[in-house]
Amino acid sequence: MTDALFERYKEALRRGHVASQRGRFDEALDAYGDAAKVAPDRALPLVGIGLVLTRLGKSSEALSAFDLALDRSPTDETALRGRIDMLLALGDRSRAAETLDRLVPVLES
């Protein structure tokens, strides 16, 4: 990633974080989406999207975002925790337990 692209990525993440903290969730989703377009191989923007969707009560969509993040970074602690929470919210205790099994070694390391 070039320096210019990395700066665009960082700025989009910053906008997403600030907007999320201020409760401007549509703006946060747009900013995290921008970051994901700049760096499609990175998990962090997708984790941000998942966290915002969680706050909006959109469990299925949040789960999809966390799954995409885990495709990119299978040991991302926040994505694993988010996936567990969303699976529990959706009543899928079995898959939540499987994901918890994936989280344990991450926490141990």
Side-chain angles (χ1 to χ4, degrees):
M1 181 182 303
T2 66
D3 287 344
L5 276 179
F6 186 65
E7 289 303 317
R8 280 182 45 206
Y9 171 73
K10 286 190 331 184
E11 175 59 22
L13 284 178
R14 186 196 64 74
R15 287 191 338 261
H17 295 328
V18 169
S20 179
Q21 290 297 315
R22 293 183 177 165
R24 297 192 314 245
F25 300 125
D26 288 339
E27 188 179 323
L29 289 172
D30 288 342
Y32 287 132
D34 290 346
K37 287 177 191 164
V38 171
D41 59 323
R42 303 260 175 132
L44 185 56
L46 297 166
V47 171
I49 290 169
L51 293 172
V52 170
L53 292 170
T54 297
R55 291 179 71 184
L56 291 171
K58 297 182 177 185
S59 300
S60 294
E61 293 175 51
L63 177 61
S64 294
F66 291 130
D67 284 344
L68 288 172
L70 290 166
D71 287 344
R72 287 150 182 79
S73 180
T75 59
D76 186 289
E77 180 181 343
T78 306
L80 287 166
R81 288 178 185 270
R83 185 173 200 276
I84 291 165
D85 291 342
M86 291 308 92
L87 289 168
L88 290 173
L90 294 167
D92 193 339
R93 295 172 54 117
S94 175
R95 286 176 52 208
E98 290 170 3
T99 305
L100 183 58
D101 288 342
R102 289 174 53 190
L103 177 60
V104 170
V106 172
L107 296 175
E108 288 177 339
S109 66

